[in-house]
Amino acid sequence: MTSPLRDRAFARLWVAGLFAETAEWMLQVAVPVFIYQATGSAGSTALTMIAGVLPIVLLSPVAGHVADRCDRRLLLCAVCFAQAAVALPLLAARGPLIYLVMIAQSALASLFEPARNALVPALVGTDLVTAANGLMGMNSSVARFAGSSLGGVVLGFAGLGWVVGCYLAMLTLAGLLLAPRFTAVTRGERANHGWFGGFGHSPVLRVTALTAALMSVAQGMFLVLFVVFVTGPLGGGEAEVGLLRGVQAIGGFAAGFAVATVARRVLPAHLLGWGAVVLGLVSLVIWNGPVVTGALGVYIGLFSAVGAPGAVTGAGLFSVVQQETGPDRLGRVSSTFFAGMAAFQALGMLAAGALVGRIGLTSLLDAQSALYVAAGLVTLAGLRRRLATVEPCPASTPPATST
């Protein structure tokens, strides 16, 4: 069975992604906790996160065109070094400055994700896309564990400055790995599909977009309420926040490995739909667990388990988009998806920050779980039969060897 890692260009992209995502998780965990500790406000924490997603929405059309017209490998390399540079002001650790840095980081991320998502099928080909996304899921799980744990622990024991130092080092390593030239095709061919790559013309992409919107609202709620949940009902601190975010990597790693090997031929719609349903149900158990027990060991196990459906869902979502979209417009379609997900994630953040004091933490978390279940049902009803009979759009075939 051929592995995408046999392609050396993809392997280098894979390792670079490990460093870049680890750095991102460190910052994603450390900065909201830092703000929450400084202000004691869930609303301020939500505003920090929203400042990190709005540029993705606003810059989506430009980011997609750049990803389809530029050398995607070179673009990823440049973004890594630029993100390291704009993070330097965080060493001052002042409130307004933090918001500006998060905006700048998000603007650069709006270029990174579409380019990477479009580069994967260009390197490995259509047949190995699901396996490649499974490997990316494994990578993300390791990065989540390492980055989340380091972000919480380093913040607690050494402060935000040391978190930023680790962040800079990891992004530099990622940029250096991406610097050597790839021999594979790394940019889309010129074609006129509009600013969004003909996104609205595909029924499959429209259903997938609805699914992604529901999951993104749920994820936005989680990002705000998770810190409140751990520091409130569970009585934890910085280390517990980082640990419980990080242990999701255990299930995610196992699930990513399964998708990359034994489950690589499973219909992507099944991965997306059933993954979302299971994710919602396991989340429901977690949020209502403090009624029974607050033992940290129990939640380490539960958060480890919830990482598995999360990784399966991610692999299914990206595989559907990549297989449904031609290589000449994959950057724009990917950018449209990332922008929509960021917008609905911001909506979830705002709702969580505004309603947690009125409705109550547990009720909001239960609603978050229900959104995941609804997203899974939308996918299973709307995509399964169509994707079973429609051939995916061809992606570019990788060369025999890549260096």
Side-chain angles (χ1 to χ4, degrees):
M1 182 180 293
T2 303
S3 170
L5 289 176
R6 289 182 178 273
D7 183 288
R8 284 177 288 179
F10 175 79
R12 205 157 64 235
L13 175 67
W14 187 66
V15 177
L18 174 62
F19 286 117
E21 289 190 59
T22 300
E24 182 180 355
W25 275 106
M26 288 188 69
L27 216 60
Q28 282 188 4
V29 169
V31 171
V33 173
F34 178 82
I35 292 294
Y36 187 66
Q37 287 178 330
T39 64
S41 169
S44 296
T45 304
L47 286 175
T48 306
M49 296 176 178
I50 291 168
V53 299
L54 283 181
I56 297 177
V57 179
L58 299 177
L59 297 176
S60 167
V62 174
H65 268 273
V66 171
D68 280 339
R69 295 295 177 260
C70 295
D71 185 315
R72 291 162 180 162
R73 185 272 310 171
L74 186 60
L75 178 62
L76 293 175
C77 179
V79 167
C80 286
F81 287 122
Q83 284 186 310
V86 301
L88 289 172
L90 282 178
L91 295 171
R94 292 189 178 92
L97 197 58
I98 291 177
Y99 294 110
L100 292 176
V101 170
M102 296 305 289
I103 291 172
Q105 292 287 329
S106 178
L108 290 167
S110 72
L111 296 170
F112 189 93
E113 293 299 341
R116 183 172 67 164
N117 196 52
L119 183 55
V120 170
L123 295 177
V124 304
T126 303
D127 292 342
L128 295 179
V129 157
T130 301
N133 286 326
L135 289 169
M136 288 292 190
M138 290 173 56
N139 226 6
S140 296
S141 296
V142 174
R144 177 193 294 265
F145 179 78
S148 298
S149 301
L150 285 172
V153 172
V154 173
L155 178 67
F157 286 98
L160 186 61
W162 281 93
V163 174
V164 175
C166 294
Y167 176 82
L168 297 176
M170 291 182 185
L171 279 178
T172 300
L173 287 172
L176 292 174
L177 282 167
L178 291 166
R181 186 180 180 88
F182 289 0
T183 58
V185 175
T186 61
R187 75 181 73 193
E189 299 174 0
R190 293 187 178 275
N192 183 19
H193 293 283
W195 280 98
F196 302 102
F199 167 81
H201 298 303
S202 168
V204 172
L205 292 180
R206 289 198 297 269
V207 173
T208 307
L210 176 58
T211 301
L214 293 171
M215 293 193 302
S216 297
V217 173
Q219 178 66 10
M221 295 173 67
F222 169 82
L223 290 173
V224 174
L225 299 177
F226 172 78
V227 175
V228 183
F229 176 78
V230 175
T231 58
L234 293 188
E238 303 98 328
E240 286 77 15
V241 169
L243 175 64
L244 292 178
R245 283 297 296 273
V247 295
Q248 296 176 52
I250 298 173
F253 184 87
F257 179 79
V259 171
T261 54
V262 297
R264 62 195 299 175
R265 297 297 183 186
V266 174
L267 197 65
H270 287 174
L271 297 176
L272 175 57
W274 288 113
V277 169
V278 175
L279 179 58
L281 294 176
V282 177
S283 297
L284 193 65
V285 173
I286 292 174
W287 307 140
N288 292 276
V291 176
V292 179
T293 179
L296 181 62
V298 172
Y299 292 92
I300 290 175
L302 288 172
F303 276 102
S304 298
V306 83
V312 168
T313 300
L317 175 64
F318 291 127
S319 296
V320 169
V321 174
Q322 289 165 338
Q323 291 186 350
E324 181 66 16
T325 309
D328 60 302
R329 58 194 178 100
L330 185 51
R332 280 165 290 171
V333 171
S334 297
S335 181
T336 302
F337 262 87
F338 286 123
M341 291 165 68
F344 282 101
Q345 190 174 103
L347 178 63
M349 292 176 185
L350 286 172
L355 297 177
V356 64
R358 302 178 184 180
I359 296 177
L361 178 62
T362 302
S363 297
L364 277 179
L365 288 171
D366 288 344
Q368 184 258 3
S369 302
L371 285 172
Y372 275 122
V373 174
L377 295 178
V378 165
T379 299
L380 294 172
L383 292 187
R384 181 176 59 185
R385 292 182 180 177
R386 179 173 176 82
L387 289 183
T389 57
V390 176
E391 291 293 328
C393 293
S396 57
T397 302
T401 58
S402 297
T403 58

